[in-house]
Amino acid sequence: MLHIVNKSPLERNSLAACLRIAGSGTILLIEDAVYGAIRGTTVEAAVKEALVRFRIVALQPDLDARAVADRVIEGVGTVDYAGFVDLVAEHRNCQSWL
Amino acid sequence: MLHIVNKSPLERNSLAACLRIAGSGTILLIEDAVYGAIRGTTVEAAVKEALVRFRIVALQPDLDARAVADRVIEGVGTVDYAGFVDLVAEHRNCQSWL
Amino acid sequence: MTEGTAKKFMFVNRTAPYGTAYALESLEVVLISAAFDQDVSLVFIDDGVFQLKKGQQTKGIETKNFSPTYRALEGYDVEKLYVDQESLVARGLTEADLIVDVTVLPSRELGALMDEQDVVLSF
Amino acid sequence: MTEGTAKKFMFVNRTAPYGTAYALESLEVVLISAAFDQDVSLVFIDDGVFQLKKGQQTKGIETKNFSPTYRALEGYDVEKLYVDQESLVARGLTEADLIVDVTVLPSRELGALMDEQDVVLSF
Amino acid sequence: MKFGILVNEGPYQHQASDSAYLFCKAALAKGHEIHRVFFYHDGVNNSTRLTEPPQDDRNIVSRWTKLAEAHGVDLVVCVAAALRRGIREENLAPGFRISGLGQLVESGIEADRLVVFGD
Amino acid sequence: MKFGILVNEGPYQHQASDSAYLFCKAALAKGHEIHRVFFYHDGVNNSTRLTEPPQDDRNIVSRWTKLAEAHGVDLVVCVAAALRRGIREENLAPGFRISGLGQLVESGIEADRLVVFGD
């Protein structure tokens, strides 16, 4: 399953809820959730730990807008909007953690 | 100073930010923030601890709407909208932690 | 539409009632979806569990109390209501606090249920 | 209006840019307030500190990059910019990451500054 | 005492407008003055005369209009935010007026307290 | 592949509508079909023809209209949510139509994937 998260994990609990409830799959971080993809934050450890269970990907245009593309955690991938579309198509189902 | 908080502390970081930054004053919990006023949640300990530095008050109509008026933490007060108005008038200034 | 072609629809409720309209408007979709003979389930996670809290009285905020609608779901054949156990515990709630009968599940079992869905709607 | 009667206005920024419009529209009020000769200060807390991150490139999201406006504030005599130290640290940021010069303060000192205000606007 | 009010969210989706309205009503009942209610961000959506909520629900827009009529409360909609969101004179409800952000700053200066309601 | 899209937030205040639009554009560019975009909650505010954003900003409403015109995308606004928020035929932008929530459920049934954009 593709899990789409769009809220900053430093501000809200939606990424935490996703990590607690989902067992596996792909997590796509978009909009303010891309702050979860970067090094040096208080949620970095939880995200790294989650890489064992999940494929984690961040949306490049949202990383660029927020000027954090140069500090993406190793092991976290990036996609553009075309890649976002591919992710939705590749997975049997998807869920937005609003 | 009167600090007005309106977000559930189980969901967002605004009450935490208020407690970290403000040194003293009155905290009024309205809307979904009234969940911070009740017993048994994971934020109860932090709210009880804050009672040493702050006067904490919850808005009764919001407690009633959410059916949690019967479990308000001891030491946390309640006011109706008229009391909300009084709190704003009594304090020299106020701030909403949106 | 026959049973075989029905899709699994899941409505994920993660927000508290009244602070925002998501809970109310989510319920409106659930009621409509019942008419389409799909396999519908509702899950309540995080502050979403507060939607089901017994005893809501909204007169003081001059807003409609929509919580009785959860009781009406059964009449629409919407009977699969799941609640995240960890979310309940974190809020000091038990099943006895809830306005309807639900199935309480550990988080990961809820996750497994999500994996089986065709359409997941969250508000 | 003379200096003596000026009110202390504080703009509290706690939200990240682009995910919502609060940062952009807050900045629009700040610019207007400059014309009223009040004592204006801005504080950046929590994800609000990301508003000041150097190097924003918004072409890919087809949205206007408004971060250069922070550099223009000085020209409007808005010079009091405060940043919450704890918020910076929690996000792995340092002053060198920011697009403008700011005063970094420990949380409680920021709180003391808030106490002195007449009007606190948050978005 | 003179209160200024800022509303940052639209009707129905967030409780902000409801809370602001009930605060104003309570303040007026206690003999205070509401100097101005300023609608900013999605708050401008409180001013459309085209809403038609269900019969069993509150009518947020007309409540504001009635408050303006009964107590002379100045309801000001930010022009810049309104243009972005499709609020103009032609769909403006009675009691509201469209003006600039200066009206918000002025309210902060002239009122004894400014209270913000938002998300 | 056939995609259904749900947009829960209005224009400008949240990024949801921008993200949904850019997703649709990318999907169409890859030869996929956008079965329907359904606007619910404050999402209905994306359909007002009265917006007039600043010259240097994107025009969110007209972008949706152009997408509908160029690719025949069905843009459906929820009637119940629209009535609450002041969206009617008289202020509806070209390319949008107002209909019931059944259209959302139908989109979930008929599309291969339904993607939700919101707050």
Side-chain angles (χ1 to χ4, degrees):
Chain A
M1 181 172 215
L2 176 66
H3 300 276
I4 304 167
V5 180
N6 76 331
K7 287 291 162 299
S8 169
L10 295 148
E11 193 90 10
R12 304 227 207 162
N13 67 354
S14 50
L15 179 59
C18 170
L19 295 178
R20 183 179 80 239
I21 290 165
S24 63
T26 302
I27 298 175
L28 173 63
L29 304 171
I30 69 169
E31 301 177 2
D32 289 344
V34 298
Y35 293 123
I38 67 172
R39 290 189 299 271
T41 76
T42 48
V43 298
E44 181 185 9
V47 171
K48 278 184 171 168
E49 201 183 284
L51 280 170
V52 178
R53 289 191 288 134
F54 297 95
R55 176 181 169 204
I56 304 182
V57 182
L59 193 64
Q60 186 72 45
D62 280 324
L63 288 166
D64 291 337
R66 291 160 184 80
V68 291
D70 58 342
R71 47 185 78 191
V72 173
I73 293 169
E74 210 189 309
V76 173
T78 59
V79 288
D80 57 9
Y81 276 100
F84 181 175
V85 172
D86 290 341
L87 282 175
V88 175
E90 284 161 18
H91 291 75
R92 202 185 66 78
N93 52 12
C94 66
Q95 166 169 201
S96 296
W97 292 82
L98 301 181
Chain B
M1 183 172 214
L2 176 66
H3 300 277
I4 303 168
V5 180
N6 76 331
K7 287 290 164 299
S8 168
L10 295 148
E11 193 90 8
R12 303 227 207 161
N13 67 353
S14 50
L15 179 60
C18 171
L19 295 178
R20 184 179 81 240
I21 290 165
S24 62
T26 302
I27 298 175
L28 173 65
L29 304 171
I30 68 168
E31 302 178 2
D32 289 344
V34 298
Y35 293 122
I38 67 173
R39 291 189 299 271
T41 76
T42 48
V43 299
E44 180 185 8
V47 172
K48 278 184 171 168
E49 200 185 285
L51 280 169
V52 178
R53 290 192 285 133
F54 296 94
R55 175 181 170 205
I56 304 182
V57 182
L59 193 64
Q60 187 72 45
D62 280 324
L63 288 166
D64 292 337
R66 290 160 184 81
V68 291
D70 59 341
R71 46 184 79 188
V72 173
I73 293 168
E74 208 188 312
V76 172
T78 58
V79 288
D80 58 9
Y81 277 99
F84 182 174
V85 172
D86 290 341
L87 282 174
V88 176
E90 285 162 16
H91 291 76
R92 204 185 65 79
N93 51 12
C94 64
Q95 167 170 202
S96 296
W97 292 81
L98 301 181
Chain C
M1 183 169 280
T2 62
E3 179 68 19
T5 58
K7 277 193 171 184
K8 282 175 186 282
F9 272 70
M10 178 177 268
F11 293 88
V12 178
N13 299 286
R14 284 188 57 251
T15 55
Y18 308 115
T20 58
Y22 300 111
L24 166 65
E25 295 193 337
S26 164
L27 209 41
E28 292 178 357
V29 194
V30 171
L31 294 176
I32 298 289
S33 72
F36 282 79
D37 286 326
Q38 302 297 302
D39 179 355
V40 173
S41 58
L42 273 68
V43 300
F44 297 87
I45 300 172
D46 292 329
D47 280 356
V49 301
F50 283 129
Q51 293 178 22
L52 302 177
K53 178 75 180 63
K54 261 184 202 159
Q56 298 173 28
Q57 292 177 339
T58 57
K59 214 180 148 199
I61 59 167
E62 298 187 12
T63 298
K64 186 182 160 189
N65 175 4
F66 59 88
S67 65
T69 311
Y70 295 104
R71 283 194 207 274
L73 287 176
E74 215 179 344
Y76 288 82
D77 291 322
V78 176
E79 293 170 336
K80 296 180 185 172
L81 274 65
Y82 302 98
V83 166
D84 174 42
Q85 192 167 44
E86 277 84 339
S87 299
L88 271 188
V89 172
R91 284 157 188 79
L93 297 176
T94 65
E95 277 186 71
D97 288 312
L98 307 184
I99 197 170
V100 281
D101 287 336
V102 298
T103 304
V104 178
L105 289 178
S107 299
R108 282 298 157 78
E109 290 185 30
L110 215 54
L113 214 59
M114 284 174 174
D115 275 338
E116 296 169 9
Q117 303 302 311
D118 296 303
V119 181
V120 182
L121 291 165
S122 29
F123 300 108
Chain D
M1 187 168 279
T2 61
E3 178 68 19
T5 57
K7 277 192 171 184
K8 284 174 185 280
F9 272 70
M10 178 177 271
F11 293 88
V12 178
N13 299 286
R14 285 189 56 251
T15 55
Y18 308 116
T20 57
Y22 300 112
L24 166 65
E25 295 193 337
S26 164
L27 208 41
E28 292 179 357
V29 194
V30 171
L31 294 176
I32 298 289
S33 72
F36 282 79
D37 286 327
Q38 303 297 301
D39 179 355
V40 173
S41 58
L42 274 67
V43 301
F44 298 86
I45 300 172
D46 292 329
D47 279 357
V49 301
F50 283 129
Q51 294 179 21
L52 302 177
K53 178 74 179 64
K54 261 186 202 157
Q56 298 172 27
Q57 292 177 339
T58 57
K59 216 182 147 197
I61 59 166
E62 299 187 10
T63 297
K64 187 181 161 190
N65 175 2
F66 59 89
S67 65
T69 311
Y70 295 104
R71 284 194 204 275
L73 288 175
E74 214 179 344
Y76 288 83
D77 291 324
V78 176
E79 292 169 338
K80 297 180 184 171
L81 274 65
Y82 301 97
V83 167
D84 174 42
Q85 192 167 43
E86 276 84 340
S87 299
L88 270 188
V89 172
R91 284 156 188 79
L93 298 176
T94 65
E95 277 187 72
D97 289 311
L98 308 183
I99 196 170
V100 281
D101 287 336
V102 298
T103 304
V104 178
L105 288 178
S107 299
R108 281 299 157 78
E109 289 186 31
L110 215 54
L113 213 59
M114 285 174 175
D115 275 337
E116 296 170 10
Q117 303 302 311
D118 296 303
V119 181
V120 182
L121 290 165
S122 29
F123 300 109
Chain E
M1 189 170 263
K2 247 199 271 186
F3 291 106
I5 304 289
L6 172 60
V7 178
N8 289 334
E9 297 294 334
Y12 302 105
Q13 186 106 327
H14 293 89
Q15 202 185 339
S17 175
D18 293 293
S19 299
Y21 168 78
L22 292 169
F23 180 92
C24 288
K25 219 174 63 161
L28 291 165
K30 290 182 81 81
H32 293 296
E33 180 191 340
I34 302 294
H35 170 260
R36 178 172 295 152
V37 183
F38 192 86
F39 297 89
Y40 194 37
H41 303 281
D42 270 2
V44 300
N45 291 326
N46 283 287
S47 70
T48 170
R49 62 167 180 74
L50 299 176
T51 54
E52 204 177 304
Q55 296 274 322
D56 59 350
D57 202 353
R58 75 253 189 236
N59 188 322
I60 295 181
V61 175
S62 72
R63 281 195 318 198
W64 282 117
T65 293
K66 281 177 198 149
L67 200 76
E69 282 165 359
H71 302 275
V73 176
D74 189 20
L75 307 178
V76 181
V77 177
C78 170
V79 62
L83 280 173
R84 280 194 188 102
R85 291 170 179 82
I87 300 292
R88 300 192 197 178
E89 294 295 343
E90 66 183 276
N91 59 338
L92 198 68
F96 291 87
R97 65 186 179 94
I98 297 177
S99 188
L101 276 169
Q103 299 279 306
L104 168 60
V105 181
E106 191 189 274
S107 188
I109 295 170
E110 293 183 4
D112 299 301
R113 302 283 185 278
L114 185 75
V115 189
V116 183
F117 293 89
D119 179 35
Chain F
M1 190 169 260
K2 247 198 272 186
F3 291 106
I5 305 288
L6 171 60
V7 178
N8 290 334
E9 297 293 334
Y12 302 105
Q13 187 105 327
H14 293 89
Q15 202 184 338
S17 175
D18 293 292
S19 299
Y21 168 78
L22 293 169
F23 180 92
C24 289
K25 219 174 64 161
L28 291 165
K30 290 183 83 83
H32 294 295
E33 181 192 338
I34 301 294
H35 171 262
R36 179 171 294 153
V37 183
F38 192 86
F39 297 89
Y40 194 36
H41 302 283
D42 270 2
V44 301
N45 291 326
N46 284 285
S47 70
T48 169
R49 63 166 180 75
L50 299 176
T51 54
E52 204 178 305
Q55 295 275 323
D56 60 350
D57 202 353
R58 74 252 188 236
N59 188 321
I60 294 181
V61 175
S62 72
R63 282 195 318 198
W64 282 117
T65 293
K66 281 177 197 149
L67 201 76
E69 283 165 357
H71 301 276
V73 176
D74 189 21
L75 306 179
V76 180
V77 177
C78 170
V79 61
L83 280 174
R84 278 193 189 104
R85 291 170 178 83
I87 300 292
R88 300 192 198 179
E89 294 294 344
E90 67 183 277
N91 59 338
L92 198 68
F96 292 86
R97 64 185 179 93
I98 297 177
S99 189
L101 275 170
Q103 299 279 305
L104 169 60
V105 181
E106 191 188 275
S107 188
I109 294 169
E110 293 182 2
D112 297 302
R113 302 283 186 278
L114 185 75
V115 190
V116 183
F117 293 89
D119 179 35

